Amino acid sequence: MWGELLLLLLWRKWTGRGSAAPAAVPAMLPEEAVAAIQNGDEALRNEWIIQYEPFIAKTASKFAKRYIDPERDDEYSIALTAFDEAISRYSPDAGSSFLSFASQVIQRRLIDHLRREQRHAAAVPYSALQGDRDEDTSLLAAIEAQEAIEVYARDRAAEERRAEIEALTAELAHYGISFADLSEQSPKHQDSRDMLLGIGRRLAQNAVLFGMLADKRQLPLKELCEIENVSRKTLERNRKYLIAVALIARGPYPLMQEYIIPSPATKEEVVS
């Protein structure tokens, strides 16, 4: 398992995908802020809850399968209280991020709320509220079923991704390339990486050039220099990276192929 995880981390590093920070991030990481609050910074607690109100509303709305109005819906108040509870209860030793933990606490409290509503409905004459009761029971069952489906889908995707990484590792070995090589030689700048991704994908699409690569286990440097209008030095310096991209683009790696789609491509020369 740890070997597979290491490969996945190396993969994300050399593709430069899946590790970028959001466009707007708090001054402190969530786990750092929670630690400060648990150590007595109550002013930060209030500020931080306000900052994460959109997250709270989104989590509640996703659970309810409808828009939750913070001004009107009880579900938002329950989710807000649950978020505050999560701040007090979170421990990094649990092995999950704070936001994942907070999301779980919010969902559990909303499920508790649904169950309380069901018990209340049971105390009212059956004929008066049977429709609402059936609706709540169905909603709870649907939520629990959806959660099970999502867990299964995540596990299945992780297994398929691991299988692709293992298959690619074996194929790269025929070219004398390892994931560690790719991680060490990955271009540091996104524009350089995007340019190389584009070259590698076009190499995969060119049947003649890719055939030369597969037959000789070497980049067709002369032909690529002419077609791509890049220096031989650039291609040689990034040989392993280009071969890996071409193999992924041409091979049976649908999950990995999502990572090698360049952002708006740059035609600039790779910076040394």
Side-chain angles (χ1 to χ4, degrees):
M1 176 179 178
W2 286 110
E4 294 165 349
L5 178 59
L6 177 60
L7 289 177
L8 182 56
L9 291 174
L10 290 173
W11 162 257
R12 288 177 175 173
K13 180 179 178 181
W14 79 266
T15 59
R17 307 299 171 91
S19 59
V25 297
M28 303 175 69
L29 292 174
E31 292 74 20
E32 295 173 341
V34 170
I37 293 169
Q38 290 178 348
N39 286 330
D41 192 341
E42 289 301 315
L44 178 60
R45 179 190 292 265
N46 295 333
E47 294 172 4
W48 211 60
I49 290 176
I50 291 172
Q51 183 176 358
Y52 274 85
E53 284 180 345
F55 168 82
I56 297 168
K58 180 180 179 180
T59 303
S61 297
K62 182 179 178 180
F63 174 89
K65 302 296 189 293
R66 64 180 175 84
Y67 171 70
I68 294 298
D69 187 345
E71 301 295 329
R72 301 176 57 184
D73 290 320
D74 291 340
E75 287 87 348
Y76 179 78
S77 297
I78 293 167
L80 189 66
T81 301
F83 188 83
D84 184 59
E85 176 190 347
I87 292 174
S88 299
R89 291 180 48 203
Y90 176 72
S91 171
D93 296 335
S96 64
S97 69
F98 169 74
L99 293 181
S100 295
F101 176 73
S103 179
Q104 293 174 4
V105 174
I106 290 172
Q107 291 182 45
R108 289 169 186 165
R109 296 299 166 256
L110 289 171
I111 288 175
D112 291 343
H113 170 69
L114 272 180
R115 287 173 173 158
R116 284 195 299 271
E117 291 294 308
Q118 291 173 11
R119 287 195 294 270
H120 173 72
V124 178
Y126 181 86
S127 58
L129 290 179
Q130 179 60 30
D132 291 340
R133 185 180 181 184
D134 288 345
E135 181 179 350
D136 286 344
T137 302
S138 298
L139 177 59
L140 179 58
I143 290 169
E144 292 175 340
Q146 182 63 31
E147 288 178 349
I149 291 171
E150 290 174 356
V151 169
Y152 172 78
R154 286 196 299 270
D155 290 346
R156 180 70 179 272
E159 181 61 32
E160 291 175 353
R161 189 178 297 110
R162 284 193 293 269
E164 285 192 10
I165 290 175
E166 291 174 357
L168 177 61
T169 300
E171 187 172 11
L172 287 172
H174 294 302
Y175 294 80
I177 302 172
S178 69
F179 265 79
D181 294 334
L182 297 174
S183 177
E184 293 173 1
Q185 299 181 14
S186 173
K188 295 180 176 59
H189 301 291
Q190 188 63 50
D191 57 350
S192 299
R193 186 180 294 116
D194 283 345
M195 190 191 76
L196 292 171
L197 288 174
I199 293 174
R201 286 168 61 84
R202 289 189 290 275
L203 169 60
Q205 293 166 0
N206 188 314
V208 174
L209 294 188
F210 189 83
M212 295 170 66
L213 170 65
D215 290 341
K216 298 181 180 180
R217 300 287 195 269
Q218 295 179 353
L219 278 179
L221 292 172
K222 178 181 177 181
E223 293 78 6
L224 277 179
C225 287
E226 295 175 355
I227 293 174
E228 297 292 341
N229 193 28
V230 294
S231 70
R232 185 183 184 95
K233 179 181 177 181
T234 294
L235 296 178
E236 289 177 340
R237 186 172 60 242
N238 297 282
R239 177 184 66 84
K240 293 182 179 181
Y241 191 89
L242 289 169
I243 290 174
V245 171
L247 293 177
I248 293 169
R250 188 86 173 189
Y253 307 111
L255 295 177
M256 290 191 186
Q257 286 166 3
E258 297 177 4
Y259 288 85
I260 63 169
I261 299 174
S263 56
T266 175
K267 294 294 185 180
E268 297 177 4
E269 182 67 36
V270 177
V271 179
S272 300

